[in-house]
């Protein structure tokens, strides 16, 4: 049983246990070229004794050899292959019958792994399960696939963490390893970027006690390297060795915290029934909660600390604070932008940060004063709301709802639109001179080179670096972590 | 057709006067036929008595239940024939009485024997084309063996009406100039007694390979699962399912038509290939 299998089996078994009876079905789960695409069986209360899988694939991206080596039975003790065939140029069909002593298979699990080859220069191949796929139960009653479904096999690494993981990944360094942090369900996973295996101390993930949609953050806190992540109930801090250092049960945290090594504080933007709040958690001593909005307000961004300034977005606009050496905050006049903030601020140098508004405007905030610059960038109405920005290459790059990236030059606040796809683009990343992103339909990668991961993606793309061997990293709505070679 | 009836009946009538202990074996090979389609039931013989030369044979079939002959007057096609041969095929015009057969086939060779050999080896002698009415329930099994005698008028023996067995044969003798010898015919229930024999003289309403007799008549994992379970002795098959499962070889030299009368790995392999698109299993 593979790691993916062990994780998913438990969850899916629970789901099936609550179902009186349903038709058996199979589904595709994306995979890497190394391990192949997963064909997963859901018996649905039936006992399955034979199955035929037909998969159509993109011949412009790769091929599947007409050989037994193109697929690997996940459980050869249970299934006996009756053969496979690549026919009509692009349909891969496999037929297997039950060979064990019992009546068949009645528990969910992987049936097989399909292993295509990618054409040179291709980073992914899309496979589609056709409606000719069918499953036989122990009475030899046959159920056909109700609809087509697609998944991709990619050149990089894929790891499924189980359940939904549609938050944002973060990248950092622990020792000599470039690592990826992501939350799935109620667990924080920290993995080596090279192979997505667990970092020592984080084996099997760390229980957070609540679900999370917030992006983890790497930083130094109390002199130690840490990983901080917000959940629906608390802000939790782990050492990079996997020890839980603190858990501040302050409310729902939907964004990444700001870890300020200079003052040894972590700042959390918190949503509460009473309104938006900011929590300052010092390395020692009690946490301080600061109301930053009345009832009905909410936080909309991660806090950003630069120098002695802290900015955080709410549904009322940008809240601005002065930060003392010990991290204590003094509220300043709001950075009046005229409309609610919807993105996190990003430091763009030269004493400025930029932030996007719900109305599709990009404001430059002068951190020396907290006041917005008079020059405001505007994106098309269809592009709003914008994603959180990434600053790189001298530009603050936002993802647009209209499928484009918008690169804002801070000096002039000039806006350049860059085609990416057609769906809402999530937070981009800039790697050297290239921009990468993911969108709501599964398009992921560098502009002009993106691959189709066939499914919703997480809120942000990350990159482990710019060197050879570095990866673009993203997570998916169905719980996969993807590390795609750059 | 009636011009052939008298010589044919006369020849075969001799069988009644000269019964022999040895008998020709007659195989009416089981056949899956789709609803609304036609199919050829292969006819083969073995254990030919006398000198081992089969010169003439007649037999009858029981139809009904949605099964009928395609062009009854020409329903039988010999495997090989010459101009001197006589073929008489028809619905119950061959006689009068209370037990006319649904379909009668009489086949007399004029110059050479149609089959030779007293051994158990089968020799195909022809095929009978039958059709299943559209709408007939998939999985219906129709036994085409007629076990009831019927009456023949004017069979050339002087009797006005003679009760005839459902099938008879005429073989040669070892003596030149001697009359042929009439043989009784044993209708065979199986092609082989070993392995997993398939019951014979059945027409099953199904597509070949539709082992689970699914009403949609599609060939898929249900059929593979059912056949695999049978071969692994985890399940049994009804007679109808066995007929549908006997798909290999596609053309059996000994008996003619699809299937060799036993269910084995060859059937599994062909069925799997059909599901995978490497072979074809279709209605005719």
């Amino acid at each position: 049983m593979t790691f993916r299998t062990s994780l998913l089996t438990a969850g899916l078994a629970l789901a099936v246990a609550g179902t009186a009876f349903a038709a058996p079905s199979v589904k595709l789960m994306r995979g890497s070229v190394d391990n192949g695409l997963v064909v997963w069986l859901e018996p649905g209360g039936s006992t399955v004794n034979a199955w035929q899988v037909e998969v159509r694939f993109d011949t412009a991206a790769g091929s599947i050899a007409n050989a037994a080596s193109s697929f690997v039975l996940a459980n050869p003790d249970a299934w006996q292959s009756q053969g496979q065939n690549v026919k009509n140029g692009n349909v891969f069909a496999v037929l297997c019958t039950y060979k064990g002593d019992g009546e068949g298979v009645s528990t969910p699990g992987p049936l097989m792994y399909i292993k295509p080859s990618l054409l040179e220069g291709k980073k992914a191949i899309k496979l589609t399960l056709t409606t000719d796929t069918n499953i036989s139960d122990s009475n030899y009653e046959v159920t056909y696939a109700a609809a087509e479904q697609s998944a991709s096999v990619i050149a990089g690494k894929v790891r499924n963490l189980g359940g939904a993981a549609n938050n944002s990944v973060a990248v950092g360094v622990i020792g000599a390893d470039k690592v990826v942090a992501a939350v799935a369900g109620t667990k924080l996973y920290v993995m080596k970027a090279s192979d997505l295996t667990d970092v020592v101390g984080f084996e099997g993930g760390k229980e957070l006690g609540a679900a999370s949609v917030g992006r983890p953050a790497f930083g130094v806190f109390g002199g130690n390297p840490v990983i901080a992540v917000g959940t629906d109930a608390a802000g939790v801090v782990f050492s990079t060795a996997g020890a839980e250092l603190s858990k501040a049960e302050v409310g729902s945290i939907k964004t990444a915290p700001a870890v300020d090594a200079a003052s040894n504080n972590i700042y959390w933007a918190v949503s509460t029934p009473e309104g938006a709040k900011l929590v300052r958690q010092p390395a020692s001593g009690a946490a301080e909660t600061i109301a930053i909005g009345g009832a009905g307000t909410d936080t909309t961004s991660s806090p950003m600390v630069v120098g002695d300034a802290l900015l955080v977005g709410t549904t009322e606009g940008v809240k601005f604070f002065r930060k003392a050496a010990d991290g204590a905050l003094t509220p300043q006049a709001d950075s009046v932008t005229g409309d609610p903030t919807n993105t996190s601020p990003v430091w763009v140098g030269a004493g400025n940060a930029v932030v996007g508004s719900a109305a599709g405007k990009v404001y430059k905030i002068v951190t020396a004063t907290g006041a917005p610059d008079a020059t405001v960038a505007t994106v098309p109405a269809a592009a709003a709301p914008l994603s959180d920005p990434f600053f790189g290459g001298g530009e603050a790059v936002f993802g647009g709802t209209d499928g484009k990236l918008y690169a804002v030059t801070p000096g002039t606040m000039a806006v350049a639109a860059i085609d990416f796809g057609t769906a809402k683009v999530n937070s981009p990343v800039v790697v050297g001179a290239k921009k990468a992103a993911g969108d709501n339909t599964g398009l992921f990668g560098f502009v002009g080179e993106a691959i189709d991961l066939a499914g919703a993606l997480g809120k942000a793309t990350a990159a482990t670096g710019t060197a050879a061997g570095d990866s673009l990293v993203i997570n998916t709505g169905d719980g996969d972590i993807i590390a795609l070679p750059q | 057709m009636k011009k052939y009836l008298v010589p044919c009946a006369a020849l075969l009538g001799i069988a009644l006067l000269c019964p022999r202990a040895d008998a020709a074996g007659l195989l009416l090979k089981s056949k899956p036929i789709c609803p609304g389609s036609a199919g050829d039931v292969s006819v083969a013989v073995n254990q030919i008595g006398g000198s081992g030369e089969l010169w003439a044979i007649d037999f009858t079939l029981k139809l009904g239940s949605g099964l009928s002959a395609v062009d009854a007057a020409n329903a039988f096609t010999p495997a090989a024939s010459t101009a001197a041969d006589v073929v008489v095929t028809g619905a119950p015009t061959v006689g009068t009485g209370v037990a006319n057969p649904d379909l009668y086939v009489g086949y007399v060779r004029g110059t050479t024997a149609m089959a030779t050999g007293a051994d158990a080896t089968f020799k195909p002698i022809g095929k009978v084309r039958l059709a299943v009415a559209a709408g007939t329930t998939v999985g219906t099994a129709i036994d085409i063996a007629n076990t009831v005698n019927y009456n023949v008028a004017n069979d050339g023996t002087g009797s006005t009406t003679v009760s005839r067995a459902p099938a008879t044969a005429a073989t040669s003798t070892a003596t030149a100039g001697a009359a042929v010898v009439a043989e009784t015919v044993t209708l065979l229930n199986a092609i082989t007694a070993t392995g997993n024999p398939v019951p014979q003289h059945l027409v099953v309403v199904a597509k070949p390979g539709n082992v689970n007799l699914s009403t949609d008549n599609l060939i898929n994992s249900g059929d593979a699962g059912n056949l695999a379970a049978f071969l692994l002795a985890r399940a049994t098959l009804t007679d109808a399912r066995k007929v549908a499962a006997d798909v290999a070889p596609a053309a059996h030299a000994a008996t003619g038509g699809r299937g060799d009368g036993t269910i084995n790995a060859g059937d599994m392999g062909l069925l799997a290939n059909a599901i995978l698109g490497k072979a074809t299993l279709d209605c005719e």
Side-chain angles (χ1 to χ4, degrees):
Chain A
M1 181 174 280
T2 64
F3 183 82
R4 171 193 283 264
T5 304
S6 60
L7 280 172
L8 289 178
T9 299
L12 292 169
L14 286 173
V16 170
T19 305
F21 184 83
S25 62
V26 293
K27 65 178 180 181
L28 300 185
M29 300 167 68
R30 72 177 65 81
S32 66
V33 168
D34 292 341
N35 298 323
L37 178 132
V38 182
V39 180
W40 183 275
L41 171 67
E42 290 288 346
S46 297
T47 301
V48 174
N49 79 344
W51 45 271
Q52 177 199 357
V53 168
E54 289 210 8
V55 173
R56 185 174 67 246
F57 58 93
D58 179 7
T59 53
S63 61
I64 298 176
N66 191 1
S69 57
S70 294
F71 75 95
V72 177
L73 286 177
N75 187 355
D77 290 335
W79 299 109
Q80 173 173 312
S81 173
Q82 301 297 340
Q84 74 290 320
N85 188 25
V86 176
K87 63 178 182 177
N88 300 332
N90 67 349
V91 173
F92 188 66
V94 180
L95 174 66
C96 285
T97 56
Y98 186 68
K99 73 174 189 180
D101 293 333
E103 294 298 321
V105 171
S106 57
T107 55
L111 291 176
M112 68 172 179
Y113 308 97
I114 300 176
K115 305 181 81 168
S117 298
L118 294 174
L119 295 178
E120 187 174 353
K122 299 294 183 181
K123 292 185 175 179
I125 180 172
K126 185 176 180 180
L127 291 86
T128 301
L129 186 84
T130 77
T131 52
D132 286 332
T133 296
N134 61 88
I135 308 166
S136 170
D137 68 16
S138 56
N139 294 319
Y140 317 114
E141 296 290 339
V142 176
T143 302
Y144 278 78
E148 290 192 346
Q149 54 177 295
S150 297
S152 295
V153 173
I154 69 169
K157 304 296 181 184
V158 179
R159 177 178 168 184
N160 191 275
L161 301 179
N166 197 17
N167 60 336
S168 304
V169 295
V171 294
V173 175
I174 297 179
D177 294 321
K178 294 180 177 179
V179 301
V180 177
V183 176
T186 62
K187 284 188 172 181
L188 170 68
Y189 293 86
V190 181
M191 300 155 277
K192 294 180 183 177
S194 57
D195 58 10
L196 298 181
T197 58
D198 289 324
V199 167
V200 174
F202 288 88
E203 294 88 351
K206 288 293 182 182
E207 180 61 44
L208 298 172
S212 171
V213 295
R215 188 177 195 177
F218 288 84
V220 175
F221 181 54
N224 299 309
V226 298
I227 304 168
V229 62
T231 75
D232 288 347
V236 190
V237 181
F238 291 91
S239 73
T240 53
E244 181 178 312
L245 301 178
S246 67
K247 179 183 284 186
E249 296 182 345
V250 293
S252 175
I253 300 166
K254 296 182 287 192
T255 58
V259 182
D260 182 34
S263 67
N264 273 329
N265 281 266
I266 296 178
Y267 301 93
W268 309 89
V270 183
S271 301
T272 74
E274 300 81 36
K277 294 181 179 177
L278 186 66
V279 171
R280 179 177 72 91
Q281 180 184 352
S284 59
E288 175 189 12
T289 300
I290 305 166
I292 55 175
T297 63
D298 199 1
T299 56
T300 58
S301 86
S302 297
M304 186 203 78
V305 175
V306 57
D308 66 348
L310 182 146
L311 290 81
V312 62
T314 75
T315 50
E316 292 181 327
V318 178
K319 302 294 180 180
F320 185 68
F321 294 84
R322 288 289 172 216
K323 187 192 71 165
D326 65 355
L329 298 175
T330 303
Q332 308 293 306
D334 289 354
S335 298
V336 179
T337 56
D339 53 1
T341 307
N342 85 286
T343 80
S344 296
V346 64
W347 173 247
V348 294
N352 299 315
V354 299
V355 64
S357 80
K361 295 184 183 302
V362 178
Y363 296 96
K364 180 163 61 178
I365 309 295
V366 180
T367 56
T369 64
D373 187 87
T375 306
V376 178
T378 302
V379 300
L386 295 169
S387 74
D388 282 344
F390 186 96
F391 182 69
E395 297 172 317
V397 185
F398 298 78
T401 301
D402 59 354
K404 298 179 188 295
L405 296 178
Y406 290 91
V408 177
T409 303
T412 62
M413 296 301 279
V415 178
I418 302 157
D419 289 334
F420 182 75
T422 57
K424 177 178 171 56
V425 181
N426 301 323
S427 294
V429 66
V430 179
V431 184
K434 299 171 72 175
K435 300 173 179 68
D439 74 13
N440 274 2
T441 64
L443 194 64
F444 168 61
F446 289 112
V447 172
E449 305 172 8
I451 63 173
D452 185 1
L453 292 176
L457 300 179
K459 292 189 296 186
T461 302
T464 60
T466 58
D470 277 318
S471 299
L472 292 177
V473 182
I474 201 165
N475 58 4
T476 69
D478 50 10
D480 279 342
I481 299 295
I482 309 291
L484 187 69
Q486 294 178 18
Chain B
M1 184 186 72
K2 286 186 176 178
K3 68 178 181 178
Y4 300 118
L5 183 57
V6 170
C8 184
L11 172 64
L12 296 170
I14 296 171
L16 298 171
L17 304 175
C18 309
R20 293 272 301 248
D22 52 353
L26 174 65
L27 173 68
L28 299 176
K29 193 173 181 181
S30 288
K31 175 77 176 181
I33 302 177
C34 297
S37 296
D40 292 322
V41 170
S42 295
V43 182
V45 293
N46 70 355
Q47 300 284 15
I48 301 164
S51 67
E53 294 184 345
L54 179 65
W55 282 82
I57 191 166
D58 75 346
F59 55 89
T60 61
L61 284 76
K62 188 169 66 177
L63 305 177
S65 301
L67 185 65
S68 61
V70 175
D71 184 11
N74 298 287
F76 179 77
T77 302
S81 63
T82 68
D85 294 350
V86 175
V87 177
V88 178
T89 305
T93 54
V94 293
T96 60
V98 296
N100 288 325
D102 293 331
L103 182 66
Y104 169 86
V105 175
Y107 177 30
V108 181
R109 291 281 285 179
T111 55
T112 58
M114 71 179 74
T116 60
D119 56 23
T121 305
F122 283 96
K123 294 91 184 176
I125 63 169
K127 56 191 179 183
V128 178
R129 190 144 183 89
L130 303 178
V132 170
T136 306
T137 303
V138 172
T140 302
I142 305 164
D143 191 343
I144 58 175
N146 180 27
T147 58
V148 180
N149 286 3
Y150 62 96
N151 298 326
V152 172
N154 187 18
D155 69 341
T157 64
S159 301
T160 55
T161 301
V162 176
S163 179
R164 292 284 310 278
T168 58
T171 62
S172 70
T173 68
T175 304
V180 295
V181 176
E183 309 277 1
T184 57
V185 166
T186 299
L187 187 63
L188 302 172
N189 294 320
I191 294 175
T192 175
T194 59
N196 300 304
V198 177
Q200 297 302 309
H201 51 75
L202 291 177
V203 168
V204 172
V205 182
K207 179 187 286 188
N210 182 11
V211 181
N212 64 352
L213 300 176
S214 58
T215 55
D216 58 14
N217 231 358
L218 295 175
I219 309 299
N220 51 34
S221 63
D223 306 301
N226 201 348
L227 182 53
F230 173 76
L231 292 173
L232 295 170
R234 293 201 308 267
T236 58
L237 293 178
T238 63
D239 287 352
R241 292 189 184 209
K242 288 178 181 175
V243 171
D246 184 20
V247 293
H252 188 228
T255 59
R258 182 180 292 283
D260 57 4
T262 184
I263 299 172
N264 51 32
D267 301 302
M268 186 73 238
L270 180 55
L271 179 65
N273 279 347
I275 294 171
L276 295 170
K278 296 176 176 176
T280 301
L281 285 173
D282 278 332
C283 304
E284 291 182 12

